[in-house]
């Protein structure tokens, strides 16, 4: 895959990660995780101007993490679970990869022979291990 294509493929994930760096945006996402809220209701939860909250909402929406619905003059926001799916998949892969590295390090150190767990002491329990 050409370098430009790889960068383009990671853009939604990168944008979501950049959006979630800001603690207030994470708090907004938690607020709307299970309920749809109007922009004013979201703004009321923070000691920030409505303009500031609006900017945070725009960043989250552009990152694909929020959906926006209009109801008359009100704008209603709700978290988009599918927007977090790629981020979750990335973190899940990192976790599995980290566990695999840890397993290999332990096995390479000889602390736990692969496929023979518990046999390193000849099957005997250490005194007081009961």
């Amino acid at each position: 895959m050409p370098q430009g294509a790889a960068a383009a493929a990671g853009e939604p994930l990168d944008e979501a990660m950049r959006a979630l760096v800001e603690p207030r945006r994470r708090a907004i996402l938690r607020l709307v995780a299970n309920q749809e809220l109007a922009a004013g209701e979201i703004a009321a939860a923070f000691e920030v101007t409505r303009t500031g909250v609006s900017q945070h909402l725009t960043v989250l929406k552009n990152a694909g993490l929020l959906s926006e619905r209009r109801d008359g003059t009100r704008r209603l926001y709700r978290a988009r679970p599918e927007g977090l799916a790629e981020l979750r998949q990335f973190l899940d892969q990192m976790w599995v990869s980290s566990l695999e590295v840890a397993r290999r390090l332990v096995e390479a150190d000889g602390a736990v022979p692969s496929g023979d767990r518990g046999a390193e002491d000849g099957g005997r329990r250490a005194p007081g291990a009961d």
Side-chain angles (χ1 to χ4, degrees):
M1 179 181 291
Q3 187 175 358
E11 284 181 18
L13 174 61
D14 292 343
E15 198 167 340
M17 291 178 97
R18 278 191 297 273
L20 293 174
V21 165
E22 216 293 327
R24 196 165 285 127
R25 291 187 199 131
R26 292 193 304 270
I28 289 170
L29 202 54
R30 282 187 208 102
L31 275 177
V32 297
N34 297 312
Q35 60 184 337
E36 189 175 59
L37 291 175
E41 293 172 299
I42 296 168
F46 299 95
E47 293 182 15
V48 171
T49 64
R50 282 180 168 243
T51 303
V53 170
S54 177
Q55 290 171 350
H56 287 305
L57 291 170
T58 298
V59 170
L60 289 166
K61 190 173 78 169
N62 290 343
L65 301 174
L66 286 184
S67 64
E68 177 187 81
R69 180 175 71 85
R70 292 183 185 232
D71 182 23
T73 59
R74 294 173 22 146
R75 292 180 186 205
L76 302 165
Y77 295 89
R78 177 182 291 275
R80 291 184 66 243
E82 60 275 16
L84 290 168
E86 187 175 2
L87 178 60
R88 182 179 179 151
Q89 181 181 10
F90 171 78
L91 294 173
D92 286 348
Q93 289 170 349
M94 294 291 291
W95 177 249
V96 168
S97 185
S98 294
L99 290 175
E100 179 61 23
V101 167
R103 182 189 64 79
R104 280 187 274 148
L105 288 172
V106 168
E107 288 176 355
D109 194 30
V112 180
S114 178
D116 197 17
R117 309 216 189 283
E120 63 271 6
D121 65 356
R124 295 181 305 269
R125 290 186 164 267
D130 292 312

